[in-house]
Amino acid sequence: MGTEGENVRVIAGRYRLESRLGRGGMGVVWRATDELLGRQVAVKEIPLDIDDALSVDEARRQRDRTLREARAVAQLRHPHIIVVHDVVEHDERPYIVMELIDGGSLADRISARGPVDAAEAARIGIALLSALRTAHEAGVLHRDIKPANVLLESGSDRVVLTDFGIAQVAGATTLTETGSFVGSPEYTAPERMSGARTGPESDLWSLGALLCTALSGESPFRRDSLGGILHAVVFDEIRPPVQAGPILPVVRGLLERDPDRRLDAAEAERMLRAFRDTGRSPQLPPGYTPTQRDVPRPPAPTPPAPTVETRRSTRGVLVAALLVAAMAGAGVSAAALLMNRDGADGGRTPTSSAPETSVSASASSGTPSASSTPSASDTASSATATHPSAPSGYRVADDPAGFSLAVPEGFTRKPQGERVFYMSSGETFRLGIKVTEPEAGGPLAVMRRAAAKGPDSNPGYHDGKVTATTRHGHDAALWEFTWNGFSTAEGPRHTYDLCWEEGGQMYDVWVSAPVGKVREAKEYFDVAVDTFART
């Protein structure tokens, strides 16, 4: 029996649970002392869904499956996989005893210090890919890779993949597959969403989403509802963030919707190591044939009217997403719902249609869709073969200065010297564009010089960061910073600014917004850079 004291329990006769470190979807983690060996450990207490509907035999089978899977994870030996010391059962409840990592998670680091740069993202990715190769070779899938499940050890910055609590030994049926959605939807592969299959490739998709989050601070699939997230994963365009530019081929290869075409762990690790060694964007493997999203697309003819089957397929995805959102609280399996959409596609998922860009558009953020008519000085047009279409809530503006881009509906044009602004009502959001002759040192040098003068041009300038990246294959630099605004009434603001050279010109596109509205600002910025075209 366990010893009960002042919030202290001893389980299995040796592990004294002392303080709770955290709680997740798959259990409570305790700081504990192994009284037999005199060392600090972490103990995960696994809850079991045992109720009156389960017989004694069924409850026992559930416990046995959980323990069997935990013991399989305990056999893994890798410097970047959490060490499992012991798997015990106490009062008919499983506990996993693990090494205690002194340090927070990658999610904690992003929250406290912001996104990491490309070199650090590559370092983390290399460690996780190496860990996953070991797990997959042993037949163990993680199934919940996300920043919260990656620990960074204090002092050494060792990267540790943890929380195999919903891991599945390949080929086994697990407790977690009996009804409710398993994992984190923003990081879940589309084939798992559709119920088609779950394999090592699904973990690699999750890693691709994790790298985007580490680089930008937000998953490219974040939306305001579960239905929106599922639709983004299964159906929407995939737009990696601009910060992913230096390692964009890796991110794109991992976020390939067709699992058979997804970049494998060995190649992804090789590419990231090449980037760390050379500082140059890695090349895809020789045998990799890019999908349509990876090659320049010719001008598209006017699309034919949708067929009945096309309408049914699109409707099926939309309805499935809405059903999942509505039924999630009732414990209905998301995978089962999506697997049964229309019943005619055999579980196939669409191939990613991400455009030739390294920019992320977070289509979820409640973008204003005001239908106000643009001013006479601002020309808007629908998409043609010469420039991209505008997302919902945006319009394509053909600017007299020789470029076009998508701007939010309701934004009006206000030129100021060599700069052109598109501004929201009250100038809360300011989208700026400047076209100049190339300058010495290229975009990176230009942005670094601007950042050095940041305190002079932007009152209260702080947290400035310049990152080398690319846009549509052209060298670019991203400058991001926070400042106090031009007046007390205006208040603190945050700015995203991308500079690149193309066609003998230097282009600079930026968005400035109140610090409390950075999510909307990031979307406006990403869409503007993504859709920008010379005219």
Side-chain angles (χ1 to χ4, degrees):
M1 295 295 291
T3 302
E4 300 289 345
E6 295 180 354
N7 298 320
V8 172
R9 287 181 291 156
V10 175
I11 63 167
R14 63 183 285 189
Y15 301 110
R16 180 179 295 275
L17 309 186
E18 296 167 346
S19 61
R20 192 166 69 184
L21 295 175
R23 175 187 293 274
M26 290 305 297
V28 177
V29 180
W30 300 86
R31 178 184 291 272
T33 297
D34 180 348
E35 296 185 326
L36 180 63
L37 298 180
R39 64 182 175 184
Q40 292 288 294
V41 294
V43 176
K44 182 180 223 180
E45 180 178 0
I46 307 295
L48 292 178
D49 298 327
I50 300 173
D51 54 33
D52 293 338
L54 294 178
S55 68
V56 174
D57 288 342
E58 289 171 332
R60 168 54 62 183
R61 281 195 294 272
Q62 286 188 345
R63 287 194 296 273
D64 289 346
R65 281 195 293 265
T66 301
L67 291 167
R68 184 169 62 248
E69 291 180 14
R71 287 170 181 140
V73 176
Q75 301 305 309
L76 301 177
R77 291 291 181 268
H78 192 278
H80 299 297
I81 294 178
I82 193 80
V83 175
V84 176
H85 295 310
D86 200 0
V87 180
V88 300
E89 189 175 8
H90 181 82
D91 288 342
E92 299 187 332
R93 184 180 297 275
Y95 292 82
I96 303 174
V97 183
M98 303 169 289
E99 67 174 317
L100 181 65
I101 301 295
D102 181 16
S105 69
L106 177 58
D108 296 332
R109 174 171 172 173
I110 294 170
S111 176
R113 296 159 52 187
V116 304
D117 61 21
E120 176 66 357
R123 185 185 77 87
I124 293 170
I126 289 167
L128 296 178
L129 285 163
S130 178
L132 286 175
R133 284 200 292 124
T134 294
H136 293 163
E137 287 168 3
V140 176
L141 308 179
H142 189 284
R143 298 202 303 166
D144 195 24
I145 294 173
K146 58 185 179 182
N149 287 340
V150 176
L151 302 180
L152 302 175
E153 188 173 48
S154 298
S156 68
D157 259 357
R158 172 187 166 215
V159 178
V160 183
L161 182 58
T162 187
D163 206 357
F164 281 82
I166 60 171
Q168 176 198 42
V169 177
T173 301
T174 68
L175 166 64
T176 54
E177 291 181 319
T178 59
S180 59
F181 187 87
V182 176
S184 304
E186 289 179 39
Y187 299 93
T188 300
E191 64 270 18
R192 280 195 60 217
M193 292 289 195
S194 66
R197 74 186 194 193
T198 296
E201 302 86 0
S202 300
D203 281 346
L204 297 176
W205 167 284
S206 302
L207 179 57
L210 178 145
L211 289 175
C212 290
T213 302
L215 287 160
S216 69
E218 183 174 88
S219 162
F221 306 108
R222 177 165 295 178
R223 301 294 186 267
D224 290 333
S225 66
L226 178 58
I229 292 171
L230 300 184
H231 188 273
V233 170
V234 175
F235 192 70
D236 280 351
E237 283 187 340
I238 301 171
R239 297 178 176 179
V242 66
Q243 295 91 335
I247 58 170
L248 185 59
V250 178
V251 170
R252 279 184 171 166
L254 294 174
L255 293 181
E256 167 61 61
R257 278 201 173 104
D258 182 349
D260 291 329
R261 298 183 41 74
R262 197 167 297 152
L263 204 60
D264 66 32
E267 283 294 349
E269 184 179 344
R270 178 194 64 79
M271 292 168 69
L272 289 179
R273 289 189 184 278
F275 167 73
R276 291 202 78 199
D277 291 342
T278 66
R280 295 192 297 269
S281 183
Q283 300 298 311
L284 288 166
Y288 187 89
T289 304
T291 55
Q292 185 64 31
R293 68 185 172 91
D294 293 314
V295 297
R297 287 176 287 183
T302 302
T307 64
V308 172
E309 287 304 314
T310 300
R311 288 195 298 267
R312 286 182 61 205
S313 176
T314 303
R315 181 191 62 201
V317 173
L318 289 168
V319 170
L322 293 173
L323 281 173
V324 171
M327 298 299 289
V332 176
S333 168
L337 285 172
L338 283 167
M339 179 173 62
N340 290 320
R341 68 178 191 274
D342 267 353
D345 66 357
R348 293 189 298 272
T349 55
T351 299
S352 169
S353 58
E356 273 288 312
T357 179
S358 60
V359 180
S360 168
S362 304
S364 68
S365 60
T367 303
S369 57
S371 58
S372 58
T373 303
S375 63
S377 64
D378 189 11
T379 304
S381 68
S382 60
T384 68
T386 59
H387 47 46
S389 61
S392 176
Y394 294 75
R395 58 189 176 81
V396 174
D398 287 316
D399 197 276
F403 59 82
S404 67
L405 77 170
V407 302
E409 293 176 353
F411 275 38
T412 55
R413 183 179 187 270
K414 295 185 179 181
Q416 294 182 8
E418 65 179 355
R419 301 180 298 175
V420 176
F421 283 94
Y422 287 85
M423 299 188 182
S424 66
S425 176
E427 301 185 2
T428 301
F429 296 95
R430 300 196 283 265
L431 165 60
I433 307 99
K434 184 170 69 172
V435 183
T436 60
E437 295 296 319
E439 297 185 31
L444 186 59
V446 169
M447 288 287 96
R448 284 175 174 168
R449 288 194 291 267
K453 299 177 181 177
D456 298 328
S457 56
N458 299 276
Y461 174 90
H462 63 281
D463 293 338
K465 181 171 66 173
V466 176
T467 306
T469 183
T470 60
R471 181 194 179 271
H472 293 190
H474 300 283
D475 288 340
L478 174 68
W479 178 26
E480 187 175 347
F481 60 91
T482 304
W483 53 297
N484 290 344
F486 289 125
S487 68
T488 303
E490 185 173 67
R493 299 179 69 82
H494 193 79
T495 298
Y496 299 95
D497 189 344
L498 186 75
C499 176
W500 75 95
E501 286 185 14
E502 182 178 359
Q505 295 288 315
M506 180 167 284
Y507 297 92
D508 195 359
V509 175
W510 68 93
V511 169
S512 169
V515 293
K517 297 183 179 293
V518 292
R519 183 174 179 183
E520 294 97 316
K522 184 61 165 57
E523 177 180 324
Y524 298 160
F525 173 72
D526 287 344
V527 172
V529 173
D530 180 19
T531 59
F532 187 95
R534 295 176 296 150
T535 57

